Amino acid sequence: MKSDPLSAAFAALADPTRRAMLTRLCEGEATVNEIAAPFDLSLPAISKHLKVLEGAGLISRGRSAQFRPCRLKPGPLKDVADWVERYRRFWDESLDRLDNYLKEIQHKERSDDA
Amino acid sequence: MKSDPLSAAFAALADPTRRAMLTRLCEGEATVNEIAAPFDLSLPAISKHLKVLEGAGLISRGRSAQFRPCRLKPGPLKDVADWVERYRRFWDESLDRLDNYLKEIQHKERSDDA
DNA sequence: TAGATAATTAACTTAATGGTGAACTAGATG
DNA sequence: CATCTAGTTCACCATTAAGTTAATTATCTA
């Protein structure tokens, strides 16, 4: 993994387990065991995933008693969104082209029917 | 790397070299050597990066003579944008909170002055 | 045909990732 | 104090990633 923050964010998001963890944290703070519950993974594996998310700045962790509650830190998600947004015109254009193509096809088929 | 398309897209984007390649392709089609030029990397390394991008569906490659021109295929970028967008309210909220916090601080400092 | 150019494939090294079980730390509670 | 709960760290293993040089394929051109 490269060390720049944006690369770290993308790398952290490249794992479906970690994305699911973030989705879970949308509902609010959760302990490690709560986060672990849906996954068929050992606790050390969960702990490592959380460390990756924390390293990317996507979550932060507190302490209360023997719990280490995690919460979402959306900063890097905004950076990812900003980076990707610069390409919006391309997919908008592509969809336009697809749309035009489909219309063209339909038009042609209608002419064929006639 | 996980095999689902969204994970593949995030993983492909987790490398600054590959992100720079995509940025280059915003300007239009380019050959492998053109893409390689700005980087201090061997051609096989470039070739591998392009294969990762192609595998993630982020570029497509044609052929004309001995050239293999690459072009941007923005589909997966839209999927990434869609995934990340679901978190927008969180960073908006955070910025709101930061904004409120800063206003509070300023207000407090003003009271201190008084 | 011979050789130059564009790019990929092969074989290999090194480092990082993702997982495990076992041992450990910290705090709550009988 | 003894023990249970929450979670991390350690030591290890298998797989994948990212890079290299050398060899190979495909196409154009003298």
Side-chain angles (χ1 to χ4, degrees), chain B:
Chain B
M1 202 219 306
K2 294 308 182 304
S3 51
D4 67 291
L6 191 53
S7 296
F10 275 120
L13 295 173
D15 185 295
T17 300
R18 289 193 291 261
R19 288 200 305 278
M21 287 171 162
L22 292 180
T23 299
R24 164 66 183 81
L25 290 176
C26 283
E27 296 168 26
E29 238 179 51
T31 67
V32 174
N33 274 287
E34 285 168 351
I35 293 168
F39 303 107
D40 188 20
L41 279 179
S42 66
L43 220 32
I46 299 292
S47 212
K48 283 189 186 181
H49 279 304
L50 290 173
K51 200 183 281 187
V52 172
L53 290 171
E54 190 180 23
L58 286 160
I59 65 171
S60 64
R61 288 144 125 187
R63 318 195 122 204
S64 82
Q66 68 270 61
F67 302 92
R68 235 127 306 182
C70 303
R71 61 180 151 290
L72 194 61
K73 261 184 36 177
L77 289 174
K78 173 166 169 35
D79 297 334
V80 164
D82 287 347
W83 189 89
V84 176
E85 269 307 307
R86 304 192 333 234
Y87 294 83
R88 171 178 291 281
R89 61 186 175 102
F90 291 100
W91 71 73
D92 282 351
E93 280 168 19
S94 294
L95 292 179
D96 283 355
R97 269 201 293 279
L98 178 61
D99 196 45
N100 290 338
Y101 174 69
L102 293 176
K103 274 177 188 153
E104 200 180 311
I105 292 286
Q106 286 191 322
H107 185 263
K108 201 177 175 190
E109 281 173 351
R110 214 170 299 158
S111 323
D112 290 351
D113 288 350

